[in-house]
Amino acid sequence: MKNQLRIIGGEWKRRTLPFATIEGLRPTPERVRETLFNWLMWDIQNAQVLDLCSGSGALGFEALSRGAAKVTMIEPNPTQARFLKDNIQLLKAENCQLLVTTAQQALSKLKNSFDVVFLDPPYSLDLWQELAELADPMINPNAYIYVEADRDLAQLKLPDNWQKIKETKAGMVRAGLYQKVV
Protein backbone atom coordinates (compact mmCIF):
# COMPACT_ATOMS: atom_id res chain seq x y z
CA MET A 1 0.00 0.00 0.00
CA LYS A 2 1.33 3.43 -0.85
CA ASN A 3 0.29 7.03 -0.56
CA GLN A 4 1.11 10.10 -2.64
CA LEU A 5 2.45 13.53 -1.82
CA ARG A 6 2.45 16.48 -4.17
CA ILE A 7 5.32 18.91 -4.61
CA ILE A 8 3.78 22.36 -4.45
CA GLY A 9 6.41 24.66 -5.95
CA GLY A 10 9.57 25.01 -7.96
CA GLU A 11 11.00 22.87 -10.74
CA TRP A 12 8.90 19.80 -9.88
CA LYS A 13 5.67 21.65 -9.07
CA ARG A 14 2.59 19.37 -9.19
CA ARG A 15 4.71 16.18 -9.39
CA THR A 16 3.35 13.43 -7.19
CA LEU A 17 5.61 11.02 -5.37
CA PRO A 18 4.63 7.77 -3.66
CA PHE A 19 5.49 6.91 -0.07
CA ALA A 20 4.88 3.89 2.14
CA THR A 21 2.01 3.42 4.57
CA ILE A 22 3.83 3.27 7.90
CA GLU A 23 2.39 4.06 11.32
CA GLY A 24 3.45 7.53 12.41
CA LEU A 25 4.54 8.60 8.91
CA ARG A 26 2.73 11.81 8.03
CA PRO A 27 3.91 14.27 5.41
CA THR A 28 3.93 17.92 6.43
CA PRO A 29 0.52 19.23 5.31
CA GLU A 30 0.59 21.17 2.02
CA ARG A 31 -0.69 24.34 3.70
CA VAL A 32 2.15 24.23 6.25
CA ARG A 33 4.73 23.43 3.54
CA GLU A 34 3.55 26.38 1.48
CA THR A 35 3.91 28.68 4.51
CA LEU A 36 7.37 27.25 5.32
CA PHE A 37 8.73 27.70 1.81
CA ASN A 38 7.27 31.21 1.60
CA TRP A 39 9.28 31.96 4.76
CA LEU A 40 12.41 30.40 3.22
CA MET A 41 11.86 31.72 -0.31
CA TRP A 42 15.13 33.67 -0.49
CA ASP A 43 17.15 31.39 1.78
CA ILE A 44 16.54 27.96 0.23
CA GLN A 45 18.39 28.88 -3.00
CA ASN A 46 21.80 27.12 -3.04
CA ALA A 47 21.34 26.03 0.59
CA GLN A 48 22.88 22.95 2.17
CA VAL A 49 19.81 21.25 3.69
CA LEU A 50 19.52 18.55 6.34
CA ASP A 51 16.22 16.65 6.55
CA LEU A 52 16.69 14.88 9.90
CA CYS A 53 13.61 12.66 9.83
CA SER A 54 12.72 12.48 6.15
CA GLY A 55 9.72 10.17 6.25
CA SER A 56 7.83 10.82 3.01
CA GLY A 57 10.54 13.19 1.82
CA ALA A 58 8.02 16.04 1.39
CA LEU A 59 10.28 18.71 2.90
CA GLY A 60 13.52 17.54 1.27
CA PHE A 61 12.05 17.14 -2.22
CA GLU A 62 10.28 20.50 -1.91
CA ALA A 63 13.62 22.10 -0.96
CA LEU A 64 15.34 20.53 -3.99
CA SER A 65 12.49 21.59 -6.27
CA ARG A 66 12.96 25.17 -5.08
CA GLY A 67 16.71 25.35 -5.67
CA ALA A 68 18.55 23.89 -2.67
CA ALA A 69 22.16 23.03 -3.59
CA LYS A 70 22.09 19.71 -1.71
CA VAL A 71 19.72 17.85 0.57
CA THR A 72 20.82 15.15 3.00
CA MET A 73 17.86 12.93 3.92
CA ILE A 74 17.85 10.56 6.89
CA GLU A 75 15.32 7.72 7.07
CA PRO A 76 15.76 4.59 9.22
CA ASN A 77 12.76 2.61 7.90
CA PRO A 78 14.03 0.38 5.05
CA THR A 79 10.61 0.22 3.35
CA GLN A 80 10.24 3.99 3.20
CA ALA A 81 13.94 4.41 2.34
CA ARG A 82 13.29 2.35 -0.83
CA PHE A 83 10.51 4.80 -1.80
CA LEU A 84 12.87 7.73 -1.18
CA LYS A 85 15.63 6.10 -3.24
CA ASP A 86 13.19 5.43 -6.11
CA ASN A 87 11.91 9.03 -5.96
CA ILE A 88 15.47 10.39 -6.00
CA GLN A 89 16.11 8.34 -9.16
CA LEU A 90 12.75 9.32 -10.70
CA LEU A 91 13.53 13.03 -10.22
CA LYS A 92 17.20 12.55 -11.21
CA ALA A 93 18.08 14.38 -7.99
CA GLU A 94 21.84 13.82 -7.99
CA ASN A 95 22.21 16.49 -5.31
CA CYS A 96 20.23 14.40 -2.81
CA GLN A 97 22.01 12.08 -0.37
CA LEU A 98 19.98 9.42 1.46
CA LEU A 99 21.27 7.91 4.70
CA VAL A 100 19.36 4.79 5.77
CA THR A 101 19.96 4.95 9.50
CA THR A 102 18.60 6.71 12.57
CA ALA A 103 19.10 10.45 12.87
CA GLN A 104 21.21 9.88 15.99
CA GLN A 105 23.58 7.52 14.13
CA ALA A 106 23.77 9.79 11.10
CA LEU A 107 24.53 12.89 13.19
CA SER A 108 27.39 11.10 14.92
CA LYS A 109 29.06 10.53 11.50
CA LEU A 110 28.13 13.59 9.39
CA LYS A 111 30.87 16.15 8.90
CA ASN A 112 28.86 18.63 6.81
CA SER A 113 27.50 21.98 7.89
CA PHE A 114 24.00 23.11 7.01
CA ASP A 115 22.13 26.31 6.14
CA VAL A 116 18.61 24.90 6.59
CA VAL A 117 17.56 22.03 8.86
CA PHE A 118 14.17 20.29 9.03
CA LEU A 119 13.43 18.84 12.49
CA ASP A 120 10.16 16.95 12.15
CA PRO A 121 10.52 13.63 14.02
CA PRO A 122 7.72 11.11 14.56
CA TYR A 123 5.70 12.77 17.31
CA SER A 124 5.44 9.64 19.48
CA LEU A 125 9.24 9.33 19.79
CA ASP A 126 9.68 12.78 21.42
CA LEU A 127 13.12 13.32 19.82
CA TRP A 128 13.12 17.12 19.40
CA GLN A 129 15.52 17.99 22.22
CA GLU A 130 17.92 15.09 21.59
CA LEU A 131 18.16 15.69 17.84
CA ALA A 132 18.40 19.47 18.26
CA GLU A 133 21.37 19.10 20.61
CA LEU A 134 23.11 16.59 18.32
CA ALA A 135 22.51 18.67 15.18
CA ASP A 136 23.33 22.10 16.63
CA PRO A 137 27.15 21.88 16.09
CA MET A 138 26.55 21.23 12.34
CA ILE A 139 24.20 24.16 11.88
CA ASN A 140 25.83 27.26 10.43
CA PRO A 141 25.51 30.62 12.21
CA ASN A 142 22.32 32.41 11.08
CA ALA A 143 21.00 29.17 9.54
CA TYR A 144 17.29 28.37 9.67
CA ILE A 145 15.75 25.44 11.53
CA TYR A 146 12.18 24.37 10.82
CA VAL A 147 10.55 22.55 13.74
CA GLU A 148 7.24 20.70 13.51
CA ALA A 149 5.42 19.17 16.48
CA ASP A 150 2.06 18.13 17.85
CA ARG A 151 2.39 20.40 20.91
CA ASP A 152 3.26 23.94 21.84
CA LEU A 153 6.79 24.62 20.59
CA ALA A 154 7.80 26.16 23.93
CA GLN A 155 7.55 22.67 25.46
CA LEU A 156 10.31 21.23 23.23
CA LYS A 157 13.44 22.41 25.12
CA LEU A 158 15.32 23.52 22.01
CA PRO A 159 18.80 25.09 22.23
CA ASP A 160 18.90 28.62 23.67
CA ASN A 161 20.74 29.91 20.59
CA TRP A 162 17.75 29.00 18.36
CA GLN A 163 15.58 32.10 18.14
CA LYS A 164 12.00 31.57 16.97
CA ILE A 165 11.20 34.04 14.20
CA LYS A 166 7.95 32.66 12.72
CA GLU A 167 5.21 30.29 13.86
CA THR A 168 2.08 28.76 12.36
CA LYS A 169 -0.56 26.20 13.29
CA ALA A 170 -2.71 23.94 11.10
CA GLY A 171 -5.00 21.52 12.90
CA MET A 172 -2.82 19.59 15.35
CA VAL A 173 0.42 20.65 13.62
CA ARG A 174 2.49 23.37 15.29
CA ALA A 175 5.36 24.65 13.21
CA GLY A 176 8.07 27.19 13.82
CA LEU A 177 11.00 28.67 11.98
CA TYR A 178 14.05 29.33 14.13
CA GLN A 179 17.33 31.02 13.36
CA LYS A 180 20.60 30.05 14.99
CA VAL A 181 22.05 33.14 16.61
CA VAL A 182 25.69 33.39 17.63
Side-chain angles (χ1 to χ4, degrees):
M1 177 93 183
K2 65 181 179 181
N3 302 301
Q4 302 260 321
L5 70 91
R6 185 169 60 98
I7 296 175
I8 54 177
E11 179 185 353
W12 301 319
K13 185 176 183 174
R14 296 188 189 91
R15 291 286 298 265
T16 56
L17 300 173
F19 65 93
T21 300
I22 297 169
E23 187 176 340
L25 177 62
R26 38 142 200 85
T28 298
E30 282 188 21
R31 196 170 98 207
V32 175
R33 263 190 289 146
E34 185 153 2
T35 298
L36 167 63
F37 285 95
N38 284 341
W39 292 342
L40 292 173
M41 185 182 312
W42 308 112
D43 300 290
I44 202 69
Q45 293 291 315
N46 300 312
Q48 297 292 318
V49 178
L50 176 60
D51 191 356
L52 276 167
C53 303
S54 291
S56 69
L59 295 175
F61 289 125
E62 195 74 47
L64 286 167
S65 181
R66 292 170 184 250
K70 182 177 180 185
V71 172
T72 301
M73 293 182 169
I74 303 170
E75 175 54 48
N77 183 294
T79 301
Q80 179 51 31
R82 274 194 301 281
F83 278 89
L84 291 173
K85 187 176 181 188
D86 290 347
N87 288 335
I88 290 166
Q89 290 174 340
L90 175 74
L91 296 169
K92 297 177 178 61
E94 294 168 10
N95 53 345
C96 187
Q97 174 186 23
L98 173 62
L99 304 174
V100 185
T101 183
T102 67
Q104 294 91 326
Q105 290 167 327
L107 288 169
S108 71
K109 295 181 179 102
L110 277 173
K111 302 289 184 244
N112 315 41
S113 62
F114 298 95
D115 306 309
V116 176
V117 175
F118 300 132
L119 177 56
D120 177 19
Y123 297 159
S124 62
L125 298 182
D126 196 15
L127 293 171
W128 293 278
Q129 183 179 1
E130 178 184 0
L131 294 181
E133 289 171 0
L134 289 170
D136 188 63
M138 296 171 201
I139 301 173
N140 291 327
N142 303 313
Y144 293 98
I145 306 104
Y146 168 77
V147 178
E148 186 177 308
D150 61 348
R151 61 197 77 164
D152 190 293
L153 299 175
Q155 299 173 11
L156 301 182
K157 298 184 183 87
L158 298 172
D160 292 336
N161 62 339
W162 291 14
Q163 180 180 358
K164 184 168 51 172
I165 54 174
K166 306 253 185 189
E167 188 171 3
T168 190
K169 182 179 182 228
M172 284 186 48
V173 175
R174 311 274 180 130
L177 187 66
Y178 294 77
Q179 189 167 29
K180 182 175 177 174
V181 292
V182 285

